[in-house]
Amino acid sequence: FIDGSLYLFAFLNVATTNLYASALARGAATDKVVTNREGNVQKPGEGVVRTAAKTSLYSGIGLMLFLLGVARPLIALYIGPEAAASPGLLDSAHEYVKIRALSMPTSLLGGVLQAALLGAKDSVTPLVSILYSTIVNVSGDYLLVSKLGMGLKGAAIATLLAQLVGTAAMIGPARRRLLSKGSSLGLLPRWITKAAPDDIGARTFLKFAAPVLTLILGKISAFGFMTNAAAGLPGQPATLAAHQIALSLFFFASPFLEVISQTAQAFLPSYSILPTDGGKKGGSIDSSEWKRASERLVFRLERVGILVGAMMASVVGSIVAFLPGIVTKDAAVQTAVKPLAATLAAGVLLTAPVAVSEGALIARKQLSYLAGVYLTSTALLPPVLRKIRAGGGPVVQVWICFALFQLFRSFCFLGKILKDSMNDGKSKSENPN
């Protein structure tokens, strides 16, 4: 639930990566010079960074207050009445969410800083931040959960501290890498700082981010519908526990695929602007060749994505099928989760072309098409899941439904990319000059 709340605001990260990469491309193609209040030349994309940082921080504060106020009834709705009736389950979940909610402002800020750094093609700083965060999280779990016996509360505190440290580790490097000397992240209102408006304001930023929010809502809704369906099936609590294990392993595999999607979003915007210098004085690059270079990059990323997806599908499928003791010590849950191995692996594998194609389409500003596919697929999913819940079938049917859901989206996204590529080739053959 709490991670879903964070994921809801991932549209800020997507918008930051794309707008920042586009700003870099425009900056490289123009001689326009802008200076800050100290007279230093601003770097391209500074306005995007400041707007994204301020928007994320204020959104995080609002999300934190919202969760602290109404988390309990939302959790009960999320897990369903059957699971909510389990003794102590709702109370424990509510306590966990209240602690984790305190990290929302810094977590959202860290997300957009990481996205901007990736847009600047800096993957080292986010990696170092994740390393610090992981060390704090693991150490905190060991101390608070294993040694002090604080249970779920201890795990929440460890995660809270890890997220704070991860964001703090990125602020300094991000200012040096993304901003000119004397510039700030602009986290305070302009009426306090007296700073001039940025070229990319909140309205421009949110205009791009709003369609991306539709994509995020489609993803979150799918997982919420799946969890609700699993919570209403027979064999509780083992059935829901098995579903949650499969969902956790899916989320474990997803970042390995999302990073390829982010790579597409970071590199493809540069192909939207045709260089005026082909590397030689007075030279130029043919527009059709520039488009073909873009297509080659997309299909190279698709191949890498499918390879990584196959590897991660093998890993999570093998854990569920042969080593369920790694993720649960409960014998009943181990028995319940084993049948999910094949469908979980299929879902992860099919997520590879979905993630990479989605990144390419976002980078090409095909937001209306993406939103249409998500709205359609998300509308089709709940009726099927309701039938599964009403029929009282095994939880594996929920994951079969998800695999088909991913298959539909991969077909739509890949089909769009292939169609556009074929149309470009056809236009080139009809107009060789």
Side-chain angles (χ1 to χ4, degrees), residues 112-149:
V112 299
L113 291 180
Q114 177 178 310
L117 287 165
L118 290 174
K121 302 176 180 60
D122 176 7
S123 59
V124 176
T125 301
L127 184 62
V128 172
S129 169
I130 292 172
L131 177 62
Y132 288 153
S133 179
T134 302
I135 291 174
V136 172
N137 203 354
V138 172
S139 302
D141 283 337
Y142 177 75
L143 176 64
L144 299 176
V145 179
S146 299
K147 291 298 183 180
L148 300 182

mmCIF file of all heavy atoms in Angstrom, residues 112-149:
data_model
loop_
_atom_site.group_PDB
_atom_site.id
_atom_site.type_symbol
_atom_site.label_atom_id
_atom_site.label_comp_id
_atom_site.label_asym_id
_atom_site.label_seq_id
_atom_site.Cartn_x
_atom_site.Cartn_y
_atom_site.Cartn_z
ATOM 1 N N VAL A 112 13.006 12.484 -7.975
ATOM 2 C CA VAL A 112 13.202 13.401 -9.105
ATOM 3 C C VAL A 112 14.674 13.763 -9.272
ATOM 4 O O VAL A 112 15.133 13.988 -10.403
ATOM 5 C CB VAL A 112 12.331 14.676 -8.974
ATOM 6 C CG1 VAL A 112 10.860 14.321 -8.961
ATOM 7 C CG2 VAL A 112 12.704 15.490 -7.750
ATOM 8 N N LEU A 113 15.432 13.821 -8.178
ATOM 9 C CA LEU A 113 16.872 14.062 -8.309
ATOM 10 C C LEU A 113 17.532 12.907 -9.049
ATOM 11 O O LEU A 113 18.388 13.115 -9.922
ATOM 12 C CB LEU A 113 17.510 14.246 -6.929
ATOM 13 C CG LEU A 113 17.130 15.516 -6.168
ATOM 14 C CD1 LEU A 113 17.842 15.558 -4.822
ATOM 15 C CD2 LEU A 113 17.465 16.760 -6.981
ATOM 16 N N GLN A 114 17.139 11.691 -8.704
ATOM 17 C CA GLN A 114 17.668 10.526 -9.413
ATOM 18 C C GLN A 114 17.280 10.563 -10.886
ATOM 19 O O GLN A 114 18.091 10.266 -11.765
ATOM 20 C CB GLN A 114 17.149 9.247 -8.770
ATOM 21 C CG GLN A 114 17.592 7.968 -9.485
ATOM 22 C CD GLN A 114 17.088 6.730 -8.785
ATOM 23 O OE1 GLN A 114 17.252 6.585 -7.588
ATOM 24 N NE2 GLN A 114 16.479 5.817 -9.523
ATOM 25 N N ALA A 115 16.028 10.950 -11.162
ATOM 26 C CA ALA A 115 15.559 11.013 -12.546
ATOM 27 C C ALA A 115 16.329 12.057 -13.342
ATOM 28 O O ALA A 115 16.683 11.837 -14.505
ATOM 29 C CB ALA A 115 14.061 11.332 -12.567
ATOM 30 N N ALA A 116 16.602 13.221 -12.724
ATOM 31 C CA ALA A 116 17.361 14.261 -13.417
ATOM 32 C C ALA A 116 18.799 13.809 -13.669
ATOM 33 O O ALA A 116 19.367 14.073 -14.741
ATOM 34 C CB ALA A 116 17.347 15.550 -12.600
ATOM 35 N N LEU A 117 19.393 13.130 -12.708
ATOM 36 C CA LEU A 117 20.754 12.622 -12.892
ATOM 37 C C LEU A 117 20.806 11.593 -14.015
ATOM 38 O O LEU A 117 21.750 11.570 -14.814
ATOM 39 C CB LEU A 117 21.262 12.012 -11.589
ATOM 40 C CG LEU A 117 21.605 13.029 -10.491
ATOM 41 C CD1 LEU A 117 21.753 12.342 -9.141
ATOM 42 C CD2 LEU A 117 22.881 13.790 -10.840
ATOM 43 N N LEU A 118 19.783 10.753 -14.100
ATOM 44 C CA LEU A 118 19.729 9.788 -15.206
ATOM 45 C C LEU A 118 19.534 10.524 -16.531
ATOM 46 O O LEU A 118 20.086 10.120 -17.568
ATOM 47 C CB LEU A 118 18.593 8.792 -14.972
ATOM 48 C CG LEU A 118 18.801 7.809 -13.822
ATOM 49 C CD1 LEU A 118 17.542 6.969 -13.595
ATOM 50 C CD2 LEU A 118 19.978 6.886 -14.107
ATOM 51 N N GLY A 119 18.728 11.596 -16.511
ATOM 52 C CA GLY A 119 18.571 12.402 -17.709
ATOM 53 C C GLY A 119 19.877 13.039 -18.133
ATOM 54 O O GLY A 119 20.107 13.274 -19.329
ATOM 55 N N ALA A 120 20.750 13.325 -17.162
ATOM 56 C CA ALA A 120 22.082 13.859 -17.445
ATOM 57 C C ALA A 120 23.078 12.747 -17.730
ATOM 58 O O ALA A 120 24.281 13.002 -17.834
ATOM 59 C CB ALA A 120 22.563 14.694 -16.258
ATOM 60 N N LYS A 121 22.575 11.518 -17.823
ATOM 61 C CA LYS A 121 23.386 10.331 -18.128
ATOM 62 C C LYS A 121 24.419 10.039 -17.039
ATOM 63 O O LYS A 121 25.517 9.548 -17.303
ATOM 64 C CB LYS A 121 24.057 10.473 -19.500
ATOM 65 C CG LYS A 121 23.049 10.686 -20.639
ATOM 66 C CD LYS A 121 23.722 10.925 -21.953
ATOM 67 C CE LYS A 121 22.699 11.144 -23.065
ATOM 68 N NZ LYS A 121 21.812 12.294 -22.842
ATOM 69 N N ASP A 122 24.032 10.358 -15.797
ATOM 70 C CA ASP A 122 24.851 10.046 -14.631
ATOM 71 C C ASP A 122 24.159 8.938 -13.846
ATOM 72 O O ASP A 122 23.182 9.182 -13.137
ATOM 73 C CB ASP A 122 25.018 11.294 -13.760
ATOM 74 C CG ASP A 122 25.786 11.015 -12.471
ATOM 75 O OD1 ASP A 122 26.310 9.890 -12.313
ATOM 76 O OD2 ASP A 122 25.864 11.916 -11.619
ATOM 77 N N SER A 123 24.654 7.727 -13.992
ATOM 78 C CA SER A 123 24.063 6.593 -13.274
ATOM 79 C C SER A 123 24.844 6.237 -12.016
ATOM 80 O O SER A 123 24.395 5.425 -11.203
ATOM 81 C CB SER A 123 23.997 5.364 -14.191
ATOM 82 O OG SER A 123 25.297 5.008 -14.642
ATOM 83 N N VAL A 124 26.020 6.846 -11.837
ATOM 84 C CA VAL A 124 26.875 6.507 -10.694
ATOM 85 C C VAL A 124 26.310 7.078 -9.400
ATOM 86 O O VAL A 124 26.230 6.374 -8.379
ATOM 87 C CB VAL A 124 28.309 7.019 -10.930
ATOM 88 C CG1 VAL A 124 29.171 6.756 -9.685
ATOM 89 C CG2 VAL A 124 28.930 6.335 -12.143
ATOM 90 N N THR A 125 25.924 8.356 -9.414
ATOM 91 C CA THR A 125 25.410 8.985 -8.196
ATOM 92 C C THR A 125 24.171 8.265 -7.647
ATOM 93 O O THR A 125 24.110 7.981 -6.440
ATOM 94 C CB THR A 125 25.092 10.466 -8.446
ATOM 95 O OG1 THR A 125 26.282 11.132 -8.879
ATOM 96 C CG2 THR A 125 24.568 11.131 -7.183
ATOM 97 N N PRO A 126 23.151 7.954 -8.481
ATOM 98 C CA PRO A 126 22.019 7.183 -7.947
ATOM 99 C C PRO A 126 22.437 5.828 -7.397
ATOM 100 O O PRO A 126 21.876 5.358 -6.406
ATOM 101 C CB PRO A 126 21.099 7.024 -9.164
ATOM 102 C CG PRO A 126 21.420 8.185 -10.040
ATOM 103 C CD PRO A 126 22.891 8.388 -9.870
ATOM 104 N N LEU A 127 23.429 5.193 -8.033
ATOM 105 C CA LEU A 127 23.887 3.890 -7.557
ATOM 106 C C LEU A 127 24.521 4.006 -6.178
ATOM 107 O O LEU A 127 24.276 3.179 -5.294
ATOM 108 C CB LEU A 127 24.890 3.301 -8.554
ATOM 109 C CG LEU A 127 25.399 1.887 -8.255
ATOM 110 C CD1 LEU A 127 24.249 0.898 -8.274
ATOM 111 C CD2 LEU A 127 26.465 1.481 -9.272
ATOM 112 N N VAL A 128 25.331 5.036 -5.973
ATOM 113 C CA VAL A 128 25.944 5.267 -4.655
ATOM 114 C C VAL A 128 24.868 5.544 -3.613
ATOM 115 O O VAL A 128 24.928 5.044 -2.483
ATOM 116 C CB VAL A 128 26.945 6.434 -4.734
ATOM 117 C CG1 VAL A 128 27.446 6.804 -3.344
ATOM 118 C CG2 VAL A 128 28.113 6.066 -5.632
ATOM 119 N N SER A 129 23.862 6.321 -4.002
ATOM 120 C CA SER A 129 22.754 6.611 -3.087
ATOM 121 C C SER A 129 22.025 5.337 -2.681
ATOM 122 O O SER A 129 21.696 5.138 -1.502
ATOM 123 C CB SER A 129 21.785 7.587 -3.762
ATOM 124 O OG SER A 129 20.586 7.697 -3.032
ATOM 125 N N ILE A 130 21.766 4.479 -3.662
ATOM 126 C CA ILE A 130 21.093 3.205 -3.365
ATOM 127 C C ILE A 130 21.957 2.347 -2.452
ATOM 128 O O ILE A 130 21.450 1.656 -1.552
ATOM 129 C CB ILE A 130 20.774 2.468 -4.670
ATOM 130 C CG1 ILE A 130 19.696 3.224 -5.454
ATOM 131 C CG2 ILE A 130 20.310 1.036 -4.394
ATOM 132 C CD1 ILE A 130 19.440 2.676 -6.839
ATOM 133 N N LEU A 131 23.275 2.384 -2.651
ATOM 134 C CA LEU A 131 24.186 1.614 -1.804
ATOM 135 C C LEU A 131 24.095 2.077 -0.354
ATOM 136 O O LEU A 131 23.964 1.261 0.572
ATOM 137 C CB LEU A 131 25.615 1.760 -2.324
ATOM 138 C CG LEU A 131 26.702 1.064 -1.495
ATOM 139 C CD1 LEU A 131 26.471 -0.445 -1.465
ATOM 140 C CD2 LEU A 131 28.089 1.382 -2.044
ATOM 141 N N TYR A 132 24.147 3.402 -0.132
ATOM 142 C CA TYR A 132 24.018 3.928 1.231
ATOM 143 C C TYR A 132 22.670 3.534 1.831
ATOM 144 O O TYR A 132 22.588 3.124 3.001
ATOM 145 C CB TYR A 132 24.134 5.454 1.219
ATOM 146 C CG TYR A 132 25.522 5.981 0.955
ATOM 147 C CD1 TYR A 132 25.718 7.232 0.372
ATOM 148 C CD2 TYR A 132 26.645 5.245 1.287
ATOM 149 C CE1 TYR A 132 26.990 7.738 0.136
ATOM 150 C CE2 TYR A 132 27.918 5.724 1.051
ATOM 151 C CZ TYR A 132 28.086 6.968 0.473
ATOM 152 O OH TYR A 132 29.343 7.453 0.230
ATOM 153 N N SER A 133 21.615 3.669 1.032
ATOM 154 C CA SER A 133 20.281 3.344 1.508
ATOM 155 C C SER A 133 20.162 1.872 1.887
ATOM 156 O O SER A 133 19.565 1.519 2.917
ATOM 157 C CB SER A 133 19.256 3.697 0.425
ATOM 158 O OG SER A 133 17.958 3.377 0.832
ATOM 159 N N THR A 134 20.744 1.009 1.063
ATOM 160 C CA THR A 134 20.692 -0.434 1.336
ATOM 161 C C THR A 134 21.435 -0.787 2.616
ATOM 162 O O THR A 134 20.962 -1.596 3.431
ATOM 163 C CB THR A 134 21.283 -1.219 0.152
ATOM 164 O OG1 THR A 134 20.551 -0.904 -1.030
ATOM 165 C CG2 THR A 134 21.214 -2.715 0.413
ATOM 166 N N ILE A 135 22.600 -0.181 2.811
ATOM 167 C CA ILE A 135 23.381 -0.450 4.025
ATOM 168 C C ILE A 135 22.593 -0.056 5.267
ATOM 169 O O ILE A 135 22.527 -0.805 6.253
ATOM 170 C CB ILE A 135 24.727 0.301 3.967
ATOM 171 C CG1 ILE A 135 25.626 -0.299 2.885
ATOM 172 C CG2 ILE A 135 25.437 0.238 5.325
ATOM 173 C CD1 ILE A 135 26.913 0.481 2.654
ATOM 174 N N VAL A 136 21.980 1.121 5.225
ATOM 175 C CA VAL A 136 21.195 1.581 6.372
ATOM 176 C C VAL A 136 19.979 0.688 6.590
ATOM 177 O O VAL A 136 19.646 0.337 7.735
ATOM 178 C CB VAL A 136 20.752 3.047 6.163
ATOM 179 C CG1 VAL A 136 19.763 3.476 7.246
ATOM 180 C CG2 VAL A 136 21.954 3.968 6.163
ATOM 181 N N ASN A 137 19.328 0.279 5.517
ATOM 182 C CA ASN A 137 18.132 -0.559 5.637
ATOM 183 C C ASN A 137 18.468 -1.921 6.234
ATOM 184 O O ASN A 137 17.805 -2.389 7.171
ATOM 185 C CB ASN A 137 17.483 -0.727 4.264
ATOM 186 C CG ASN A 137 16.014 -1.083 4.355
ATOM 187 O OD1 ASN A 137 15.484 -1.316 5.433
ATOM 188 N ND2 ASN A 137 15.339 -1.121 3.233
ATOM 189 N N VAL A 138 19.503 -2.560 5.695
ATOM 190 C CA VAL A 138 19.898 -3.887 6.191
ATOM 191 C C VAL A 138 20.371 -3.801 7.639
ATOM 192 O O VAL A 138 19.989 -4.623 8.489
ATOM 193 C CB VAL A 138 20.987 -4.494 5.294
ATOM 194 C CG1 VAL A 138 21.541 -5.780 5.909
ATOM 195 C CG2 VAL A 138 20.442 -4.780 3.898
ATOM 196 N N SER A 139 21.194 -2.795 7.929
ATOM 197 C CA SER A 139 21.688 -2.630 9.306
ATOM 198 C C SER A 139 20.533 -2.332 10.259
ATOM 199 O O SER A 139 20.484 -2.862 11.380
ATOM 200 C CB SER A 139 22.718 -1.495 9.367
ATOM 201 O OG SER A 139 23.797 -1.747 8.497
ATOM 202 N N GLY A 140 19.606 -1.491 9.816
ATOM 203 C CA GLY A 140 18.454 -1.164 10.651
ATOM 204 C C GLY A 140 17.567 -2.365 10.911
ATOM 205 O O GLY A 140 17.089 -2.569 12.037
ATOM 206 N N ASP A 141 17.324 -3.165 9.878
ATOM 207 C CA ASP A 141 16.526 -4.379 10.065
ATOM 208 C C ASP A 141 17.192 -5.325 11.057
ATOM 209 O O ASP A 141 16.528 -5.917 11.923
ATOM 210 C CB ASP A 141 16.329 -5.090 8.717
ATOM 211 C CG ASP A 141 15.275 -4.418 7.864
ATOM 212 O OD1 ASP A 141 14.416 -3.716 8.419
ATOM 213 O OD2 ASP A 141 15.309 -4.595 6.634
ATOM 214 N N TYR A 142 18.503 -5.452 10.925
ATOM 215 C CA TYR A 142 19.232 -6.363 11.830
ATOM 216 C C TYR A 142 19.141 -5.878 13.270
ATOM 217 O O TYR A 142 18.879 -6.662 14.192
ATOM 218 C CB TYR A 142 20.694 -6.458 11.391
ATOM 219 C CG TYR A 142 21.549 -7.309 12.312
ATOM 220 C CD1 TYR A 142 21.451 -8.695 12.300
ATOM 221 C CD2 TYR A 142 22.436 -6.703 13.208
ATOM 222 C CE1 TYR A 142 22.226 -9.466 13.160
ATOM 223 C CE2 TYR A 142 23.210 -7.465 14.064
ATOM 224 C CZ TYR A 142 23.102 -8.851 14.037
ATOM 225 O OH TYR A 142 23.861 -9.617 14.878
ATOM 226 N N LEU A 143 19.343 -4.575 13.470
ATOM 227 C CA LEU A 143 19.347 -4.040 14.830
ATOM 228 C C LEU A 143 17.940 -3.963 15.417
ATOM 229 O O LEU A 143 17.692 -4.453 16.531
ATOM 230 C CB LEU A 143 19.987 -2.644 14.827
ATOM 231 C CG LEU A 143 19.999 -1.894 16.161
ATOM 232 C CD1 LEU A 143 20.848 -2.648 17.175
ATOM 233 C CD2 LEU A 143 20.529 -0.465 15.973
ATOM 234 N N LEU A 144 17.010 -3.369 14.657
ATOM 235 C CA LEU A 144 15.686 -3.101 15.212
ATOM 236 C C LEU A 144 14.782 -4.327 15.224
ATOM 237 O O LEU A 144 13.988 -4.503 16.156
ATOM 238 C CB LEU A 144 15.018 -1.981 14.410
ATOM 239 C CG LEU A 144 15.748 -0.626 14.415
ATOM 240 C CD1 LEU A 144 15.043 0.364 13.508
ATOM 241 C CD2 LEU A 144 15.844 -0.079 15.833
ATOM 242 N N VAL A 145 14.890 -5.163 14.186
ATOM 243 C CA VAL A 145 13.999 -6.327 14.094
ATOM 244 C C VAL A 145 14.602 -7.541 14.782
ATOM 245 O O VAL A 145 13.985 -8.163 15.651
ATOM 246 C CB VAL A 145 13.675 -6.644 12.614
ATOM 247 C CG1 VAL A 145 12.770 -7.869 12.522
ATOM 248 C CG2 VAL A 145 13.011 -5.444 11.946
ATOM 249 N N SER A 146 15.837 -7.877 14.403
ATOM 250 C CA SER A 146 16.448 -9.098 14.931
ATOM 251 C C SER A 146 16.930 -8.946 16.369
ATOM 252 O O SER A 146 16.714 -9.830 17.206
ATOM 253 C CB SER A 146 17.623 -9.518 14.040
ATOM 254 O OG SER A 146 17.184 -9.776 12.729
ATOM 255 N N LYS A 147 17.594 -7.826 16.672
ATOM 256 C CA LYS A 147 18.184 -7.660 17.993
ATOM 257 C C LYS A 147 17.206 -7.082 19.020
ATOM 258 O O LYS A 147 17.122 -7.557 20.153
ATOM 259 C CB LYS A 147 19.424 -6.769 17.902
ATOM 260 C CG LYS A 147 20.589 -7.411 17.170
ATOM 261 C CD LYS A 147 21.064 -8.671 17.894
ATOM 262 C CE LYS A 147 22.276 -9.285 17.222
ATOM 263 N NZ LYS A 147 22.726 -10.516 17.937
ATOM 264 N N LEU A 148 16.469 -6.042 18.639
ATOM 265 C CA LEU A 148 15.573 -5.385 19.592
ATOM 266 C C LEU A 148 14.152 -5.927 19.550
ATOM 267 O O LEU A 148 13.319 -5.554 20.382
ATOM 268 C CB LEU A 148 15.556 -3.876 19.339
ATOM 269 C CG LEU A 148 16.910 -3.165 19.482
ATOM 270 C CD1 LEU A 148 16.762 -1.669 19.244
ATOM 271 C CD2 LEU A 148 17.501 -3.425 20.875
ATOM 272 N N GLY A 149 13.858 -6.800 18.582
ATOM 273 C CA GLY A 149 12.549 -7.434 18.520
ATOM 274 C C GLY A 149 11.390 -6.491 18.280
ATOM 275 O O GLY A 149 10.284 -6.711 18.773
#
